[in-house]
Amino acid sequence: TFHSICARFLRKEMNQLNLPYNNNFVIYDTEDQLGLLKKAMEELEIDAKKFNPRAILARISDAKNELAGPTEYNDSAKEFFEKIVARIYPIYQKSLEKNNAVDFDDLLFLTVKMFKENSSILEKYQNRFKYILVDEYQDTNKPQYLFLKMLAQKHRNIMAVGDDYQSIYLFRRADI
């Protein structure tokens, strides 16, 4: 899967990157994420009864799937709810970092960031993967697309198979 290959790349390269993680990071599931999020909300005195933590987590996930970190999200926040999320997002992300943890969205977000910022690492993997086959392409989202685009850029040998009538990941920002 995209997540497993990104986790593998990050575990191999994390110590070379200027990121607050090391290569034995843990991957948080939804319950772990909600725990961190609720603590951030308590710290900011934001009532979880007025603002649904799952809705906030979904909005943070959407931001990461648009490759927007806390600063970029804050800069684009206009509506009241977005401004609430913009207050929580940086604390949530710092809590992940403090725990040497990433969420599933970070796996893609950080790999794309790594490829953009470190051409030697990107080239290493471009040379390793001369041919790329993607199944269920209709369910890819922006970070997955950019990951594939960068990885295939050197050899331009990519085959994608998909059926737009079978798309099931619109909730994960899949973009047919």
Side-chain angles (χ1 to χ4, degrees):
T1 67
F2 283 104
H3 293 99
S4 66
I5 198 166
C6 288
R8 194 173 320 147
F9 289 177
L10 289 170
R11 288 195 194 284
K12 284 188 181 231
E13 309 299 340
M14 192 63 81
N15 293 333
Q16 298 181 51
L17 305 174
N18 188 22
L19 294 171
Y21 304 100
N22 59 49
N23 63 351
N24 66 345
F25 59 84
V26 294
I27 302 169
Y28 275 10
D29 64 14
T30 304
E31 292 310 309
D32 296 324
Q33 291 174 272
L34 284 168
L36 281 185
L37 190 77
K38 288 175 184 176
K39 285 180 186 174
M41 291 175 72
E42 285 174 20
E43 183 180 323
L44 293 168
E45 298 179 358
I46 296 173
D47 188 351
K49 291 178 183 172
K50 290 183 182 177
F51 299 98
N52 184 332
R54 287 185 184 275
I56 293 168
L57 190 59
R59 192 62 64 100
I60 291 171
S61 178
D62 288 347
K64 289 182 180 187
N65 282 303
E66 290 298 321
L67 301 173
T71 302
E72 295 86 2
Y73 185 83
N74 183 58
D75 292 346
S76 68
K78 292 180 179 30
E79 296 176 15
F80 182 72
F81 183 70
E82 291 172 339
K83 290 180 182 186
I84 295 294
V85 174
R87 291 177 53 208
I88 298 167
Y89 186 0
I91 295 170
Y92 166 78
Q93 197 63 38
K94 286 285 184 202
S95 296
L96 283 170
E97 293 168 6
K98 180 181 170 192
N99 292 317
N100 194 38
V102 297
D103 59 29
F104 281 96
D105 297 316
D106 284 331
L107 293 171
L108 292 157
F109 183 94
L110 293 172
T111 303
V112 169
K113 179 179 170 88
M114 173 179 70
F115 282 174
K116 283 181 177 180
E117 295 176 359
N118 195 315
S119 60
S120 63
I121 291 175
L122 173 59
E123 186 173 7
K124 171 183 167 180
Y125 290 107
Q126 286 174 333
N127 289 330
R128 185 169 174 202
F129 296 94
K130 293 180 182 167
Y131 301 94
I132 300 169
L133 169 65
V134 184
D135 194 15
E136 305 295 344
Y137 187 75
Q138 75 276 1
D139 288 324
T140 56
N141 61 20
K142 182 178 180 176
Q144 292 166 341
Y145 166 77
L146 291 173
F147 169 78
L148 289 169
K149 182 179 177 182
M150 288 186 282
L151 194 59
Q153 188 175 5
K154 184 172 187 176
H155 299 287
R156 303 178 65 84
N157 292 316
I158 187 167
M159 179 178 174
V161 179
D163 180 352
D164 55 351
Y165 289 107
Q166 293 185 21
S167 181
I168 60 172
Y169 285 112
L170 291 174
F171 69 94
R172 282 195 190 153
R173 294 279 201 202
D175 184 0
I176 297 169

